[in-house]
Amino acid sequence: MASTRVHLVLVHGLFSSAKVWKAFETLIAGDPELTGRVSVHLFAYDSPLGRLRPDRRVAETDDIADQLGTFLETELSDAERIVLVTHSQGGLVVQRFLARKLWNGEGAELTRIKHFTMFACPNTGSGFFLTVRKFLKLWNNPQEKQLRPFDRAVTEAQRTVLGSVVHARAYSDTECPIPVRAYGGSADDIVPPVVARGLFPKGGVVTADHFSIVQPADRTAASYLAVRAAVLEVADAASATPATPATPRALPPAATDEGTDAPHAPGTTADTTGSVPSPASDAPDLAPYPPPPYGQLSDGQLKGKDRQELVAYLLSEQARRQVHIVAGLGGSGKSRIALETAERAQRAGHRVWWVSMPELSLRMRMIARDLGAPSINVERAWLVGQAMDLVWAFLDACPDPWLLIFDNADEPERLGPPDGPVSDGTGWLRRPQNPRGTVLVTSRVRRRHAWGEAARIHQVLPLDENDGASMLLERTGGLGGTNEDARGLSRELGGLPLALRHAADVIKAVNESQISLDSDIRNFETFRRTVNTSAGQNGPHLSELLGREIVEKVCGIGMNLLTEHDLPQAPTLLKVFTCLSIAPIPYRCLLSGPALAQSPLFPGATPERTNAALAGLEELGLVDAYERADVSHRELAGMLTLHPVVHGVLREDEEVRARPADFYGVALRMLLSATDHRNPDHPANWPLWAVLAPHTLEVSKACLLGELPLSDRTVRTEALELARLTARYLIATGLLTPAYDLVVPLIERCAAFGFDPDDREILGLRHEQGRIHLDQEQLSEAERVLRLVVRARARILGEDHADTLASRHKLARAIHEQTGREEEAEDMLRSIVEAEKQVRGHEHYDTLVVRHTLARSMDALGAHREAEAEARQILDISRRNHWPPATPEVLRLRETLSHSLLSQNRAEEAEQVIREALRDASQPSDSNLVMRLRYNFVLVLLGIRGRTPEAVSELRTLVHDLDRVVSSKHPLSVQARALLETTLREMPT
């Protein structure tokens, strides 16, 4: 009979040794559930600070990765199930080992590795040694170099592990699916949690520092529970499944390719599909903060002495603790100055956050998490409108030098507070109180009163003719003519870097392109005569209007070339892109659908023609395409950007204004196609929605509230559906303010675009409005809104229509949450459950969610045995339908079950239920859900005779953790503190 033993291999970190695992060894040896099921192996390697003897060198990470391979091949040659657990640099060693095996086509050798867990691994680089290096200038430890931020070896290995291990879809020579978990310590100043989590979608944050994370005090420590769960998962799978040889096999489609969402007509609002959402550990604000668009620095060196001096100043000590507005004409190079500043700051060890204005709320939420704000704190702040204060509290407390950049903030009021101007300094834009912080804003607005007296405004002037000529000559490789010709064209284009860049790209393409571009424009002089502006007479005092006219003429020359020479669809495609947001465009997922081929704008469109059009646009510099290194999914990694001035100019194009329904219609249908069957409530789909949301917001608003009337009612109806789906995504991710700002104006102004408040499309938005009020704990308003929606839907669609049932459930929840109205809610819920069984089926996810709400209502009314039975039935169905144990709904069900058991004086059973829930939770330990489970665990302990001291200890720890992460007024904090005071008062002395 084949052995089911699991072999646990522990890999230590930098400047450490195998002794670091002593606590784990001791706890595992004394764990009765692991006895006889696991063997522990310590992989030790040499990792000194340095060598005093010149005849010996310090092993590099590749050497250690190969050592690990040899260790597994020799010491564990017969092992069928291996679990790898690492600390710090050990995680990089294993990643490098996995990557090198896959690069060599040896993926089949990895099939016996069943799980890989990392603790405190510097997955985006650790800045801890940046300061140490100042004092140890001769230190040249190659292992330490792997930890320096953005080390190429780390990046390329990680990209392989993410793409060919974490997101692998089959077993082959170059792929091997292995579950990977990445954990960080909440008090780790060496590798902060967001760095430890990196791009890995599964894992979490535990209460520990860099060293205590692998030194658990007892078997209830989160890090021990994580390793224990991994070992038991592998052991249980081995016991349940007959041993068979590992052979290559196809895997089912990944979660991001779900096709289970039932199609529905526009305006329908079923909250979820029959499939279960994944655990919420994939929340977008837990992902690593994306780097600035450094790829744009490949345009060449920054030109202009005044610009170079400005960058140097912005990086100086004198610039800190200030707000700097880099203001100038569109196309004058403001973003390039900011990008140059960001890149140099990051190389100097600063933390840098680049905020694109269309993604403002999401990016600020990610900054809060990046700075270590606990999940429960972030959730609450975005819920009750304290997000701005939360982010700035953490920015002002940040111990590292940092640079915060708001790019293209041409509407300053968006950075202000909800009820005041940006100059108040109480919104997103504030003067740092932290002496290590600097804020930089790029904007076309340079009026002093718009920004306030505290801001320093730096005006960016066009390049002088010499710097402009230098840019032209370098970008064309000398193909355009003489220095004097270049100076003449630079004067003609007003020294605007954007116009100069486009002109150089056209000249270079005409001379070198693989595309047929026969043209009278061959050099600087012929381009100057063609463009023929009056900018040369204005010098540095170029107006915004003239600058825009120059860019329009230069873009027009490029588009005419493409139209006249075999690529007539390229300019049309560019105009469609301008109907989207100025945020980066994930062009692969947008262009892969049928929208272009079905549009009258693109007769005979094929993928080949579309790719050729894209290539032409990029070659002439009309778009910039790049790959995001922090994204493993190919369809989301490919990004395309347009300069805001080009975007604005082409939106005003005569053809776009004459045919808005065609242009905005194709943009709308590209977005609907890309999000088809990508349920916005499912965390697995949030990465897609995160990159598309700026565009779905822009297009839906433009189609319905824009200045161009759309005569096509079908387009308007589809825009309402896109707006509803977008609102669902925003609500699901806790971005309630943007969701409210989207749906309420559409509801209030629906008559302006031909709809009635009781039309089913608008009712869909009103339903989402009710959900927003419900999530904001505005229960009376939620009840008012949802009652009206239920009444209208019942009249139009029927009492038991799926959409009516969805609104009835939300209404029942709003009533249930109001004290003293549980009985009223229970009657409603019972009728909804019976209707859901008939409409969707007994085991549909929506049916089970309503049943859970009913179970909670039963428990609140004292029907504890009935609540227990209901909860157990739902849990049985969840296991039968393979819901992940960490699914939030499953965890909440266990919480309900433990409550009902405790109320029946069955505290020991309740303890087992809640312990299992805490063990399985993959959400961060400081999340609202896990904190609630911990509070419930305390209640259970208090119900067991003789366990009060243990409960008090757990409760003290919980109160301490809550004090650390939330305000004293947070509801859970108030409850926990009151319970502690009551328990201490009633304990016998």
Side-chain angles (χ1 to χ4, degrees):
M1 181 176 176
S3 171
T4 60
R5 180 176 290 272
V6 176
H7 295 266
L8 177 63
V9 178
L10 304 174
V11 184
H12 64 78
L14 183 63
F15 315 139
S16 183
S17 71
K19 294 178 182 178
V20 76
W21 299 109
K22 185 66 177 176
F24 265 103
E25 285 187 282
T26 302
L27 293 174
I28 290 171
D31 193 327
E33 200 169 349
L34 296 182
T35 301
R37 306 182 77 183
V38 61
S39 297
V40 179
H41 308 271
L42 303 178
F43 172 67
Y45 59 91
D46 202 14
S47 182
L49 278 172
R51 291 287 192 197
L52 295 179
R53 289 182 53 178
D55 61 328
R56 293 186 182 177
R57 71 183 182 93
V58 179
E60 295 192 12
T61 301
D62 279 353
D63 298 333
I64 303 168
D66 291 341
Q67 282 180 245
L68 174 62
T70 303
F71 176 84
L72 297 178
E73 290 170 12
T74 57
E75 302 295 321
L76 298 177
S77 57
D78 296 329
E80 296 178 12
R81 278 161 292 280
I82 296 172
V83 172
L84 297 172
V85 176
T86 67
H87 179 230
S88 193
Q89 187 206 5
L92 303 183
V93 170
V94 171
Q95 288 183 55
R96 198 70 179 167
F97 160 71
L98 296 173
R100 285 161 69 82
K101 281 289 187 184
L102 295 171
W103 293 337
N104 292 330
E106 299 171 349
E109 297 180 17
L110 301 178
T111 55
R112 60 195 186 124
I113 298 175
K114 305 300 183 184
H115 211 288
F116 170 27
T117 293
M118 294 177 282
F119 290 111
C121 179
N123 281 312
T124 60
S126 173
F128 175 72
F129 295 104
L130 291 171
T131 53
V132 177
R133 218 176 290 122
K134 296 177 183 177
F135 303 101
L136 298 173
K137 297 183 182 296
L138 298 179
W139 189 21
N140 191 31
N141 187 310
Q143 296 169 25
E144 183 273 330
K145 288 180 182 178
Q146 300 282 324
L147 271 69
R148 299 182 189 180
F150 311 110
D151 182 272
R152 169 170 280 180
V154 171
T155 303
E156 62 186 17
Q158 187 177 98
R159 187 178 294 119
T160 298
V161 171
L162 284 165
S164 301
V165 176
V166 175
H167 300 295
R169 298 165 71 95
Y171 289 97
S172 70
D173 291 339
T174 57
E175 278 190 294
C176 185
I178 300 171
V180 179
R181 302 288 186 270
Y183 294 93
S186 59
D188 192 339
D189 291 330
I190 297 174
V191 181
V194 71
V195 173
R197 291 293 309 278
L199 299 174
F200 293 94
K202 302 296 182 184
V205 181
V206 302
T207 304
D209 61 27
H210 187 70
F211 303 101
S212 64
I213 197 170
V214 289
Q215 296 167 356
D218 54 42
R219 287 199 293 274
T220 65
S223 56
Y224 179 77
L225 290 174
V227 173
R228 184 178 187 273
V231 170
L232 288 174
E233 180 183 327
V234 174
D236 291 344
S239 301
T241 307
T244 55
T247 56
R249 61 182 177 84
L251 287 179
T256 51
D257 294 325
E258 292 174 296
T260 57
D261 293 358
H264 49 264
T268 60
T269 59
D271 292 352
T272 56
T273 67
S275 58
V276 62
S278 304
S281 56
D282 294 314
D285 56 284
L286 290 179
Y289 199 89
Y294 290 131
Q296 295 175 18
L297 292 175
S298 61
D299 283 349
Q301 291 187 340
L302 183 68
K303 298 298 179 187
K305 183 180 178 182
D306 55 339
R307 295 164 188 248
Q308 294 168 354
E309 290 174 346
L310 176 55
V311 170
Y313 172 74
L314 292 171
L315 292 167
S316 69
E317 295 282 346
Q318 293 87 344
R320 292 188 183 178
R321 209 170 177 179
Q322 294 187 59
V323 172
H324 300 273
I325 312 297
V326 177
L329 299 176
S332 61
K334 305 178 295 293
S335 295
R336 175 56 197 269
I337 291 170
L339 199 57
E340 193 83 26
T341 307
E343 195 270 341
R344 295 187 197 179
Q346 196 139 38
R347 282 196 284 118
H350 292 51
R351 300 181 73 171
V352 176
W353 300 284
W354 183 280
V355 179
S356 174
M357 292 303 294
E359 303 169 290
L360 179 62
S361 186
L362 174 61
R363 290 289 173 246
M364 298 310 289
R365 183 169 173 141
M366 293 180 73
I367 287 174
R369 292 295 296 150
D370 197 31
L371 286 163
S375 293
I376 189 172
N377 215 341
V378 173
E379 291 168 18
R380 189 71 185 170
W382 257 259
L383 183 69
V384 300
Q386 297 172 347
M388 296 172 178
D389 291 338
L390 174 76
V391 173
W392 272 101
F394 277 86
L395 283 169
D396 282 332
C398 180
D400 307 311
W402 55 263
L403 174 64
L404 172 61
I405 299 171
F406 297 101
D407 188 40
N408 289 317
D410 295 332
E411 299 175 65
E413 61 274 10
R414 291 195 61 201
L415 294 175
D419 55 353
V422 67
S423 55
D424 282 356
T426 56
W428 290 124
L429 185 64
R430 305 184 184 188
R431 184 173 182 175
Q433 300 304 305
N434 189 332
R436 294 171 290 275
T438 307
V439 177
L440 193 159
V441 181
T442 68
S443 177
R444 283 185 282 178
V445 178
R446 45 187 182 263
R447 301 185 305 275
R448 165 66 61 187
H449 74 270
W451 301 106
E453 294 301 319
R456 288 205 59 178
I457 298 177
H458 308 272
Q459 186 169 355
V460 178
L461 298 175
L463 295 172
D464 66 29
E465 64 179 47
N466 292 318
D467 289 323
S470 176
M471 182 177 176
L472 287 167
L473 289 162
E474 290 176 15
R475 196 165 180 88
T476 59
L479 292 173
T482 66
N483 286 338
E484 288 305 320
D485 291 338
R487 287 190 180 96
L489 180 55
S490 176
R491 285 193 301 273
E492 192 68 39
L493 298 180
L496 279 179
L498 176 63
L500 294 167
R501 193 188 80 169
H502 284 327
D505 288 345
V506 167
I507 292 167
K508 188 174 182 180
V510 167
N511 283 278
E512 288 187 343
S513 180
Q514 301 292 321
I515 305 169
S516 174
L517 291 174
D518 294 332
S519 170
D520 292 337
I521 297 174
R522 310 300 301 179
N523 51 37
F524 300 139
E525 179 57 25
T526 52
F527 195 103
R528 185 186 67 78
R529 290 201 299 267
T530 302
V531 74
N532 188 27
T533 75
S534 57
Q537 305 168 17
N538 289 267
H541 305 293
L542 204 63
S543 70
E544 184 77 40
L545 187 62
L546 183 53
R548 185 182 176 94
E549 180 188 328
I550 292 170
V551 172
E552 185 175 7
K553 285 188 175 183
V554 172
C555 289
I557 290 171
M559 291 195 296
N560 288 340
L561 280 173
L562 293 170
T563 300
E564 294 166 4
H565 299 94
D566 301 329
L567 294 173
Q569 292 183 353
T572 308
L573 183 59
L574 182 62
K575 293 172 187 177
V576 169
F577 286 148
T578 65
C579 296
L580 301 168
S581 167
I582 63 169
I585 300 168
Y587 63 92
R588 288 195 187 111
C589 69
L590 290 181
L591 297 178
S592 61
L596 294 190
Q598 294 173 356
S599 169
L601 296 173
F602 298 92
T606 63
E608 293 73 23
R609 288 185 177 183
T610 301
N611 289 335
L614 279 173
L617 291 172
E618 186 177 12
E619 188 163 18
L620 294 189
L622 294 167
V623 299
D624 291 309
Y626 65 95
E627 296 288 317
R628 282 182 59 181
D630 60 317
V631 174
S632 57
H633 294 287
R634 183 176 181 274
E635 69 170 2
L636 301 184
M639 288 293 179
L640 177 151
T641 60
L642 284 73
H643 192 282
V645 177
V646 175
H647 185 275
V649 163
L650 293 182
R651 267 205 170 185
E652 299 300 316
D653 178 81
E654 289 183 6
E655 188 181 16
V656 175
R657 296 187 68 83
R659 303 177 64 181
D662 287 334
F663 279 93
Y664 283 94
V666 72
L668 175 69
R669 284 158 187 152
M670 287 195 302
L671 292 164
L672 285 170
S673 175
T675 55
D676 189 33
H677 297 309
R678 300 298 185 93
N679 190 323
D681 298 321
H682 287 208
N685 296 325
W686 289 351
L688 171 72
W689 275 99
V691 297
L692 289 180
H695 305 292
T696 59
L697 283 164
E698 179 72 25
V699 172
S700 56
K701 288 179 179 179
C703 288
L704 299 167
L705 302 177
E707 61 171 308
L708 298 177
L710 271 63
S711 57
D712 190 335
R713 187 176 178 84
T714 302
V715 173
R716 283 177 275 146
T717 302
E718 290 174 336
L720 285 168
E721 173 66 358
L722 185 63
R724 186 187 68 82
L725 292 170
T726 303
R728 282 175 57 186
Y729 161 72
L730 295 170
I731 294 168
T733 53
L735 299 172
L736 300 182
T737 300
Y740 186 88
D741 292 343
L742 170 63
V743 301
V744 171
L746 294 177
I747 295 168
E748 292 177 346
R749 297 169 58 186
C750 64
F753 48 86
F755 285 81
D756 184 84
D758 281 353
D759 284 340
R760 65 186 63 190
E761 295 85 357
I762 305 301
L763 286 171
L765 295 179
R766 291 170 62 190
H767 172 89
E768 304 306 331
Q769 180 189 5
R771 289 183 61 200
I772 294 167
H773 289 305
L774 186 58
D775 285 1
Q776 289 178 327
E777 300 173 9
Q778 299 167 351
L779 301 178
S780 297
E781 184 63 13
E783 180 183 356
R784 184 191 69 80
V785 171
L786 290 166
R787 275 196 188 281
L788 294 172
V789 173
V790 168
R791 190 179 304 157
R793 280 185 158 174
R795 186 181 73 252
I796 297 168
L797 304 173
E799 187 75 20
D800 293 336
H801 187 277
D803 293 344
T804 310
L805 291 174
S807 296
R808 287 174 63 192
H809 177 218
K810 291 295 184 289
L811 173 59
R813 272 191 55 200
I815 293 171
H816 172 76
E817 298 296 333
Q818 298 178 53
T819 305
R821 301 183 65 185
E822 293 86 357
E823 192 168 343
E824 179 185 352
E826 184 188 19
D827 292 340
M828 294 178 65
L829 288 164
R830 287 188 184 278
S831 67
I832 297 168
V833 167
E834 292 308 311
E836 287 280 11
K837 289 178 181 178
Q838 297 300 317
V839 174
R840 301 186 201 270
H842 288 249
E843 297 192 2
H844 190 280
Y845 181 76
D846 282 1
T847 305
L848 299 176
V849 170
V850 180
R851 288 182 64 185
H852 181 200
T853 308
L854 175 60
R856 289 173 54 210
S857 183
M858 292 173 178
D859 196 48
L861 290 169
H864 308 303
R865 191 174 296 279
E866 292 87 341
E868 176 198 350
E870 191 75 9
R872 288 194 186 279
Q873 286 180 29
I874 302 170
L875 285 169
D876 287 343
I877 294 171
S878 76
R879 283 188 285 270
R880 187 163 65 245
N881 292 342
H882 307 294
W883 295 12
T887 301
E889 188 63 24
V890 173
L891 297 175
R892 286 190 283 264
L893 271 164
R894 288 170 168 177
E895 183 184 21
T896 301
L897 177 58
S898 68
H899 269 296
S900 65
L901 290 169
L902 188 60
S903 299
Q904 299 175 64
N905 298 317
R906 294 158 62 189
E908 288 82 1
E909 294 176 64
E911 180 185 8
Q912 181 181 352
V913 170
I914 206 68
R915 279 190 182 277
E916 289 175 353
L918 284 166
R919 181 196 68 195
D920 291 337
S922 65
Q923 292 76 12
S925 61
D926 57 15
S927 67
N928 187 54
L929 179 55
V930 175
M931 289 284 199
R932 273 178 37 210
L933 291 173
R934 290 174 61 188
Y935 180 77
N936 200 57
F937 179 54
V938 170
L939 294 177
V940 169
L941 291 178
L942 287 171
I944 303 175
R945 184 182 297 276
R947 303 286 293 278
T948 300
E950 183 183 350
V952 169
S953 175
E954 291 286 344
L955 188 53
R956 286 187 193 276
T957 304
L958 176 60
V959 168
H960 177 269
D961 290 346
L962 286 166
D963 286 345
R964 179 175 54 81
V965 300
V966 299
S967 74
S968 59
K969 295 181 180 179
H970 188 281
L972 186 57
S973 181
V974 171
Q975 282 182 291
R977 192 175 296 281
L979 180 61
L980 179 59
E981 291 174 358
T982 301
T983 305
L984 290 174
R985 187 169 58 249
E986 295 178 355
M987 277 182 70
T989 56

